[in-house]
């Protein structure tokens, strides 16, 4: 992996450059106050503008400002005309377009494709402040506003749509977003390095059409285009099929000598003699890397993958195998008469670069124009600190892999401690509690491969599945040290860990678990086993439920030692590819056995380019070699089946009993319907006769549920003979229904959109 130029190498010292703007301007009046007649770059975002490093537009804007450019922001413009996009005038260099911190479709729609009633990234959580496919719509409007100005698109929405992809909301394979947006350049992944390079080169007078060599960028080219004559093409437009098998000669066969073949007049020319070069392993690897840097992998075309699910799965597998910046090759995919070219992924930021990015002079507040408006996303993170980015877990339903990558990029300890002090000293209403010290994962801070050379040559899809790689460092001591120093800061009363915890890693360090449980859990700790059944977990690339059990034993032990009553809140996904009705039933029985009553659960949402989305669309498993006859992945696709899978996770809610009864009878598990302790759902309940709700479930139930015929019969029998319940056509001994006390019975666990 090449050592790139430091992101801040050419940035002048702060004392010799223009002072930072209090906020990046959103109006002409703010530009006038700064003495600007124009902006070099104008960023358009679907989020409210909050000047904080957790919000992409603020981070990108402040980074470009530090490089000496004048940056303006247009936040949540009315997209129905081009006029709002003229608010700051014409940018000197280019437009930067993003949907915001979330994909606009995930932001606006539930897993059932229903429009959400609120938007956490909008003042007062007001919905419908951004269009569907916001990147495309915004890009089209800026073209109308000022034709001829280069358009650069980025953020997670663009990253996840950089090649042909299955779109859940339209239920079809769509072209790369480069075609729909007509953008000049797409920057994917962590954009800092590519964005700074692109901006410098455009400012120096280079045409954006000529910028074709920057990692982490994608663009449209003519078919067959190559950067230069040294490049070669690796064709991966077909799945692997058995080739011709030649018969090997028998070394013991007595063949007669062909005298004519030895005649002088028939003699063949002497073969060219090539010297045998003996190379060390390091030399071979270096030669292979050099060749890879000049090789592009041709994926099956858009037309092929849109019609052939097997080829789509094959393309998905190839795409994910080319995701390690240390060995990834460029990719190209045909879309009719144009090709989409993707350069290799961006190189990770070094620790000092990460520090400089997060140490920029953010105002750390929403823009003053919002007044006292309530912005949920801001209130969620205002007292939290991001210490790292990336995740090597490789969960197939997660979009971190496609966007941030698997290599962990961490900030230094001093930089993190400085930000905590800044929160203490400048953030309004800070009461002494840091609500989170983490990132995509709570406990991957400064974890990496033991050898850089191994990391650069690795092609595993996950460092922790099916087992934790022997080359992965799992030492949590640096994170423990950070926790101890952070909570010792004067004025800081408590530091909580709110990010997702990778518990299979945590159990490798009992000292870390003890530190976490003793000092950093506020009574409840979120944890994500996602499922209990191995068939489903293998499609998620998640550890078995045994790892959860091991962590829970440690959690309970250290909670008792600390004299605290603390509880785990597990997250689960319904209707994930590979999950059958039996799998969901077993998960529901596990929840009942462990006395969990979850109020809010998550149904699998197929996000573009995720490997689980490939399984959902193609019924093929891209985690293994894909062929016509390879493994078939059964998936809950119908609305009713997805609803039933979700109902299993909320088996205790009356609104779910009718569909669960019907599903259980179809499965031949009517024995689980009844009013006894061993049953999953009751055969009859007074609320279903009167149409009233039970124990606060009135709003959720919304009237008398409609029972299937079999369930009506079960309910009738139960009312006639309260001492016995008839289930599945067989008499079952009745057991008095006892209330099962649960500390979790009143807990509301509402995921904030699909987990990443």
């Amino acid at each position: 992996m090449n050592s790139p130029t430091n992101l801040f190498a050419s940035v002048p010292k702060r004392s010799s450059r223009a002072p930072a703007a209090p906020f990046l301007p959103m109006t002409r009046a703010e530009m006038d106050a700064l003495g600007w007649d124009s902006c070099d770059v104008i960023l358009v975002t679907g989020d409210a503008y909050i000047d904080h490093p957790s919000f992409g537009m603020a981070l990108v804007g402040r980074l470009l400002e530090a490089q000496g450019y004048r940056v303006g922001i247009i936040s949540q413009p009315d997209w129905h005309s081009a006029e709002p996009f003229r608010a700051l005038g014409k940018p000197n260099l280019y437009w930067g377009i993003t949907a915001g911190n979330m994909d606009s479709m995930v932001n606006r729609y539930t897993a059932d494709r229903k429009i959400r009633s609120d938007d956490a990234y909008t003042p007062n959580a007001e919905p419908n402040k951004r269009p569907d496919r916001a990147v495309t719509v915004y890009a089209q409007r800026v073209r109308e506003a000022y034709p001829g100005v280069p358009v650069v698109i980025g953020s997670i929405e663009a990253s996840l749509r950089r090649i042909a992809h299955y779109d859940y909301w339209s239920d079809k394979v769509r072209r790369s977003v480069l075609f729909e947006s007509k953008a000049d350049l797409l920057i994917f992944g962590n954009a800092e390095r590519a964005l700074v390079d692109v901006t410098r080169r455009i400012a120096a007078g280079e045409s954006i059409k000529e910028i074709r060599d920057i990692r982490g960028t994608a663009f449209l080219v003519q078919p067959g285009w190559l950067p230069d004559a040294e490049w070669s093409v690796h064709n991966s437009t077909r799945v692997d099929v058995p080739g011709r098998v030649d018969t090997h000669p028998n070394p013991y066969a007595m063949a007669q000598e062909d005298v004519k073949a030895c005649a002088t007049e028939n003699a063949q020319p002497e073969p060219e003699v090539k010297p045998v070069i003996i190379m060390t392993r390091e030399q071979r690897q270096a030669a292979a890397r050099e060749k890879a840097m000049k090789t592009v992998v041709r994926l099956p075309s858009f037309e092929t993958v849109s019609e052939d699910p097997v080829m789509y799965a094959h393309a998905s597998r190839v795409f994910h195998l080319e995701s390690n910046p240390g060995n990834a090759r460029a990719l190209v995919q045909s879309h009719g008469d144009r090709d989409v070219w993707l350069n290799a992924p961006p190189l990770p930021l070094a620790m000092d670069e990460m520090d400089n990015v997060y140490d920029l002079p953010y105002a750390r507040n929403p823009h003053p124009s919002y007044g006292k408006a309530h912005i949920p996303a801001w209130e969620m993170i205002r007292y939290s600190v991001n210490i790292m980015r990336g995740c090597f877990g490789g969960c197939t339903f997660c979009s971190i892999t496609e966007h941030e990558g698997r290599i962990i990029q961490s900030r230094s300890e001093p930089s993190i401690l400085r930000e905590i002090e800044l929160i203490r000293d400048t953030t309004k209403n800070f009461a002494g509690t840091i609500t989170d010290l983490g990132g995509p994962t709570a406990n991957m801070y400064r974890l990496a491969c033991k050898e850089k050379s191994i990391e650069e040559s690795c092609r595993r899809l996950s460092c922790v599945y099916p087992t934790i790689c022997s080359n992965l460092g799992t030492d949590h001591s640096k994170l423990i040290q950070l926790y101890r120093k952070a909570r010792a800061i004067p004025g800081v009363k408590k530091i909580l860990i709110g990010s997702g915890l990778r518990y299979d890693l945590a159990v490798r360090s009992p000292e870390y678990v003890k530190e976490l449980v003793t000092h950093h859990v506020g009574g409840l700790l979120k944890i994500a086993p996602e499922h209990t059944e191995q068939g489903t977990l293998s499609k998620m690339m998640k550890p078995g439920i045994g790892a959860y059990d091991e962590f829970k034993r440690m959690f309970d032990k250290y909670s008792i030692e600390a004299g605290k009553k603390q509880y785990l809140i597990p997250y689960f996904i319904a209707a994930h590819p590979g999950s059958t009705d039996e799998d969901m039933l077993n998960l529901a029985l596990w929840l009942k056995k462990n006395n969990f009553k979850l109020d809010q659960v998550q149904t699998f949402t197929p996000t573009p380019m995720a490997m689980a989305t490939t399984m959902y669309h193609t019924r093929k498993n891209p985690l293994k070699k894909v062929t016509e006859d390879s493994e078939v992945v059964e998936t809950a696709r119908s609305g009713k089946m997805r609803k039933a899978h979700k109902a299993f996770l909320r088996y205790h809610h009356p609104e779910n009993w009718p569909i669960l009864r019907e599903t259980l009878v179809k499965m031949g598990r009517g024995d689980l319907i009844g009013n006894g302790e061993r049953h999953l759902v009751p055969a009859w309940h007074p609320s279903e006769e009167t149409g009233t709700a039970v124990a606060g479930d009135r709003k959720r139930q919304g009237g008398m549920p409609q029972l299937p015929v079999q369930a009506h019969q079960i309910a009738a029998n139960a009312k006639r003979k309260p001492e016995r319940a008839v289930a599945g056509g067989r008499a079952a001994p009745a057991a008095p229904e006892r209330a099962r006390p649960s500390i979790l019975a009143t807990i509301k666990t509402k995921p904030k959109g699909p987990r990443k």
Side-chain angles (χ1 to χ4, degrees), residues 8 10-12 17 60-69 71 360-361:
F8 294 86
S10 61
V11 175
R17 65 178 189 256
V60 166
R62 290 297 188 183
L63 174 64
L64 292 178
E65 179 190 52
Q67 305 284 331
Y69 303 105
V71 182
L360 293 169

Side-chain angles (χ1 to χ4, degrees), residues 344-355:
L347 297 175
L349 297 185
M351 183 175 286
D352 63 328
E353 293 176 304
M354 284 279 286
D355 289 351

Side-chain angles (χ1 to χ4, degrees), residues 37 41 52 69 84 104 113 148 163 199 338 450 457 528 586 593 626 634 645 662 756:
D37 58 352
V41 178
H52 186 280
Y69 303 105
S104 62
R113 299 189 181 99
I163 61 172
T199 309
R338 303 290 294 279
K450 294 176 181 178
S457 61
N586 289 336
K593 177 183 176 182
V626 177
E634 296 298 341
H645 280 206
E662 181 181 1
K756 302 200 184 275

Side-chain angles (χ1 to χ4, degrees), residues 397-678:
F397 53 83
C398 178
S399 47
I400 293 175
T401 295
E402 290 83 9
H403 188 55
E404 293 190 8
R406 295 187 178 88
I407 295 177
I408 304 302
Q409 303 167 68
S410 301
R411 296 169 62 185
S412 72
E413 191 179 90
S415 173
I416 295 165
L417 298 179
R418 281 196 302 270
E419 184 170 351
I420 295 174
E421 292 174 344
L422 196 61
I423 293 173
R424 177 198 63 190
D425 298 338
T426 64
T427 306
K428 189 177 179 180
N429 299 325
F430 178 66
T433 299
I434 298 295
T435 54
D436 189 24
L437 204 62
T441 353
N443 59 320
M444 288 187 183
Y445 177 70
R446 299 188 69 171
L447 297 189
C449 199
K450 294 176 181 178
E451 294 289 341
K452 193 71 175 175
S453 60
I454 297 176
E455 178 186 90
E456 293 179 359
S457 61
C458 180
R459 294 177 70 84
R460 281 183 60 157
L461 296 174
S462 169
C463 297
V464 292
Y465 184 86
T467 58
I468 296 176
C469 179
S470 59
N471 292 311
L472 177 66
T474 58
D475 180 11
H476 285 57
S477 60
K478 291 184 175 64
L479 185 55
I480 295 171
Q481 177 178 290
L482 174 63
Y483 285 176
R484 290 172 178 171
K485 290 185 178 181
R487 66 174 185 264
I489 293 175
V492 173
K493 299 176 183 177
K494 194 169 188 65
I495 291 182
L496 302 176
I497 303 304
S499 302
L501 182 79
R502 192 76 196 199
Y503 53 84
D504 52 342
L505 279 174
V507 296
R508 292 287 187 98
S509 176
E511 184 185 7
Y512 170 75
V513 178
K514 183 175 182 178
E515 190 80 15
L516 173 75
V517 172
T518 305
H519 300 287
H520 301 286
V521 176
L524 304 173
L525 179 66
K526 294 181 293 186
I527 195 170
E530 308 295 8
H531 217 285
T532 58
E533 304 308 292
Q534 190 56 43
T536 305
L537 291 170
S538 69
K539 304 303 183 294
M540 295 176 168
M541 287 211 295
K542 291 283 287 186
I545 198 66
Y548 167 85
D549 294 335
E550 184 179 358
F551 179 79
K552 186 178 185 304
R553 283 192 294 271
M554 297 174 71
F555 181 89
D556 292 342
K557 172 188 173 184
Y558 294 129
S559 293
I560 292 171
E561 290 181 4
K564 296 182 177 182
K565 291 184 178 180
Q566 301 183 142
Y567 306 92
L568 293 176
I569 302 296
Y571 278 165
F572 297 94
I573 295 180
H576 191 278
S579 185
T580 64
D581 291 348
E582 288 75 16
D583 290 335
M584 294 308 302
L585 171 58
N586 289 336
L587 174 51
L589 294 173
W590 183 92
L591 289 171
K592 181 176 180 181
K593 177 183 176 182
N594 289 275
N595 209 13
F596 283 118
K597 294 182 179 179
L598 307 180
D599 185 69
Q600 297 285 340
V601 298
Q602 183 166 301
T603 306
F604 170 69
T605 301
T607 53
M609 289 189 1
M611 299 194 85
T613 300
T614 298
M615 299 179 202
Y616 176 91
H617 170 57
T618 68
R619 297 177 68 237
K620 288 292 183 181
N621 184 3
L623 300 177
K624 302 176 181 178
K625 181 179 175 181
V626 177
T627 66
E628 293 283 353
D629 302 323
S630 60
E631 179 185 4
V632 174
V633 180
E634 296 298 341
T635 302
R637 291 184 60 93
S638 71
K640 186 171 184 178
M641 190 174 179
R642 285 167 64 85
K643 185 177 179 181
H645 280 206
K646 183 177 180 180
F648 273 119
L649 295 183
R650 301 174 71 239
Y651 66 91
H652 52 285
H653 280 294
E655 65 179 0
N656 293 319
W657 293 342
I659 192 171
L660 286 178
R661 291 190 191 107
E662 181 181 1
T663 303
L664 288 170
V665 169
K666 286 181 179 179
M667 295 171 64
R669 294 306 309 269
D671 57 298
L672 294 174
I673 304 172
N675 296 342
E677 179 69 17
R678 67 184 184 83

